[in-house]
Amino acid sequence: MTVKPDQNGAGRAARGEDRFARRFPAEPYAVREALRAAVARFARRISPEDAGALELTLAEVLNNVVEHAYGGCAGGQVDLALSHAGSALCCRIEDRGRPMPHLAIPEGALPPTGVAVATLAEGGWGWSLVRGLTENLTYERDGDRNRLTFRIPLDAV
């Protein structure tokens, strides 16, 4: 399939799927810019609620890549690919950072209710959000590459 990129690194595939692809440094500012561009690419084609789900999911995952996969290592790259196909956005994120612990996506369980906020551990809850906003969430370590794929179902197409 042929994709013609536009000035923002996005393209329209020959069979009519909207696509976005970007490679960027694993740095907070670059994540913010890629996130902004990805959401802008699809914002006029999806509902505001779906755009919010896309933004939140990508922010959680991409910030985890920067903080955990590459934490303390300079020069890492992240590959982000999105396609709008029918009633979902299909997402793929790849990096060459550290693998996920136990080569598995963290459970990301939410804390029990009725617990004092001051006693709660920091972090780890983002995966609960990601799991709740996506479907077909998969992780694999292929050689020295991490690959995370998922779909974000769209309410209004």
Side-chain angles (χ1 to χ4, degrees):
M1 177 182 336
T2 305
V3 176
K4 288 184 137 187
D6 64 18
Q7 65 187 17
N8 296 319
R12 180 172 284 285
R15 71 172 191 232
E17 294 176 340
D18 289 332
R19 294 188 178 267
F20 174 89
R22 176 81 44 103
R23 174 174 283 171
F24 54 94
E27 300 168 354
Y29 180 78
V31 165
R32 285 192 300 272
E33 179 56 29
L35 181 59
R36 183 206 59 75
V39 172
R41 174 69 175 117
F42 298 104
R44 289 187 286 170
R45 294 168 183 81
I46 62 177
S47 72
E49 294 79 14
D50 291 336
L54 173 63
E55 183 174 20
L56 180 57
T57 302
L58 290 179
E60 287 293 336
V61 171
L62 295 174
N63 286 322
N64 276 337
V65 169
V66 171
E67 185 176 342
H68 300 292
Y70 287 118
C73 300
Q77 295 285 311
V78 180
D79 292 314
L80 171 63
L82 306 169
S83 64
H84 180 198
S87 62
L89 286 171
C90 300
C91 307
R92 185 183 75 242
I93 299 168
E94 296 187 21
D95 66 77
R96 292 184 184 272
R98 292 180 203 84
M100 285 196 185
H102 312 291
L103 298 177
I105 300 168
E107 286 300 317
L110 291 175
T113 58
V115 176
V117 172
T119 65
L120 296 174
E122 183 181 349
W125 303 340
W127 284 108
S128 179
L129 289 170
V130 171
R131 287 179 182 280
L133 293 170
T134 66
E135 56 190 24
N136 301 344
L137 179 64
T138 64
Y139 166 76
E140 65 181 329
R141 180 75 175 182
D142 184 12
D144 66 346
R145 285 187 80 77
N146 295 306
R147 182 176 302 116
L148 188 74
T149 59
F150 53 89
R151 290 170 36 96
I152 298 175
L154 302 175
D155 293 327
V157 181

